[in-house]
Amino acid sequence: DAKTTQPPSMDCAEGRAANLPCNHSTISGNEYVYWYRQIHSQGPQYIIHGLKNNETNEMASLIITEDRKSSTLILPHATLRDTAVYYCIVRVFHNNAGNMLTFGGGTRLMVKP
Amino acid sequence: ETGVTQTPRHLVMGMTNKKSLKCEQHLGHNAMYWYKQSAKKPLELMFVYSLEERVENNSVPSRFSPECPNSSHLFLHLHTLQPEDSALYLCASRRTGGRTEAFFGQGTRLTVV
C-alpha cells in the first residue's frame, strides 16, 4: 500500500472549515484514499473514502487532486467535538480479509473556541 | 455506537493473571481484527480472522492468544503479560468482498501491573 504523509498537528477555530491535507505521491491507480478519525481513547471512526472523484457525505468532503498524489479532507464547520486524530490511508481493496487498514501517525486536529 | 462492542472497557491485571478481552458484532461482518495502540504510537494490527479462521498473525508474542468461535465473537486471551503490554486494545470488523469500511469498537484500556 502507498505511504501517506500528514502534518502532525493543526489548529482550527470553531465554526470555521478545517482543511486537512494528505500527500500520497506513490499512490497507484487502483488504490483508494480513506479517512478515519480517532477521538481520544476511542476506536477509529470511518469518515469518507474516494478513488478519483471528489466525494461528500454528512460528515465531510474529500477533494482528490487530478494526479491523485494528494488529497484534502474538509470539515465544513468544525466543532469542538471534531477534535481528534485524523488518519489518511491509501489502500487497494481486495476480497481477502488480510488486506486491512495500516495506520500512520495521522494529524492531531485541535478545534478551539 | 458502531455496532462493535468490546468488554471490559477497562482492565487492570497482574503479570501472573489470566484474563480475556471480548469483542462482539452483529453487523453480519465476516472478518474481525485485533489492534493494539500503545501510548504515542500508531495502531498496530495484531490478528486477522476471516470466516472464523486466523489468516494473519503479525509476530505477536504467544502470551496473546486469539479465539474466534463464530463470526460474531472474537476473544483475546491474555496470560503472563508484561507492563509494556499496557495499551488500548481495539477490535474491528468488516465485510469482505467490496469497498466496505471497517467498524471499530471502543476498545479495552489494559493496564498490567
Side-chain angles (χ1 to χ4, degrees):
Chain A
D1 291 337
K3 199 170 173 180
T4 63
T5 304
Q6 298 178 255
S9 64
M10 289 181 66
D11 289 345
C12 177
E14 189 179 18
R16 303 297 293 270
N19 298 297
L20 293 100
C22 180
N23 285 323
H24 30 81
S25 57
T26 58
I27 192 170
S28 58
N30 58 350
E31 286 183 310
Y32 288 76
V33 180
Y34 281 79
W35 284 84
Y36 280 73
R37 73 179 182 184
Q38 187 176 22
I39 295 170
H40 181 63
S41 290
Q42 295 184 23
Q45 176 192 22
Y46 166 82
I47 301 173
I48 200 167
H49 75 276
L51 182 62
K52 48 186 171 183
N53 296 325
N54 298 337
E55 302 286 346
T56 295
N57 62 22
E58 65 278 3
M59 288 182 70
S61 295
L62 174 60
I63 308 298
I64 302 174
T65 57
E66 196 168 334
D67 63 8
R68 303 213 319 126
K69 293 187 177 184
S70 66
S71 60
T72 301
L73 179 75
I74 301 172
L75 308 178
H77 305 286
T79 71
L80 299 178
R81 286 183 292 181
D82 292 321
T83 292
V85 178
Y86 287 77
Y87 298 100
C88 169
I89 301 165
V90 293
R91 56 186 297 263
V92 180
F93 243 112
H94 296 301
N95 276 340
N96 70 67
N99 188 241
M100 189 44 176
L101 301 164
T102 301
F103 289 84
T107 295
R108 185 172 297 278
L109 176 69
M110 179 76 70
V111 180
K112 298 185 173 179
Chain B
E1 183 58 54
T2 64
V4 180
T5 304
Q6 289 187 244
T7 54
R9 292 293 309 277
H10 301 272
L11 177 63
V12 179
M13 62 185 286
M15 289 190 283
T16 58
N17 290 159
K18 283 185 183 180
K19 296 286 184 183
S20 295
L21 310 184
K22 180 182 176 182
C23 176
E24 188 171 353
Q25 58 88 11
H26 297 287
L27 301 168
H29 292 170
N30 58 351
M32 297 186 77
Y33 307 81
W34 281 115
Y35 279 85
K36 174 185 177 183
Q37 188 172 32
S38 303
K40 301 193 187 298
K41 283 187 173 181
L43 283 84
E44 303 169 58
L45 182 60
M46 300 175 72
F47 297 105
V48 177
Y49 273 85
S50 175
L51 298 173
E52 301 144 46
E53 288 190 18
R54 190 192 309 180
V55 297
E56 196 164 315
N57 170 2
N58 290 336
S59 303
V60 180
S62 59
R63 57 186 183 269
F64 295 91
S65 174
E67 179 191 2
C68 188
N70 55 61
S71 59
S72 298
H73 294 87
L74 183 67
F75 295 90
L76 187 62
H77 303 300
L78 314 172
H79 178 47
T80 60
L81 295 193
Q82 305 297 312
E84 58 265 28
D85 296 321
S86 298
L88 181 68
Y89 289 85
L90 290 157
C91 171
S93 71
R94 71 178 182 97
R95 181 167 46 86
T96 59
R99 297 186 295 277
T100 56
E101 66 268 28
F103 291 80
F104 284 79
Q106 297 285 62
T108 295
R109 173 70 61 189
L110 174 68
T111 304
V112 181
V113 297

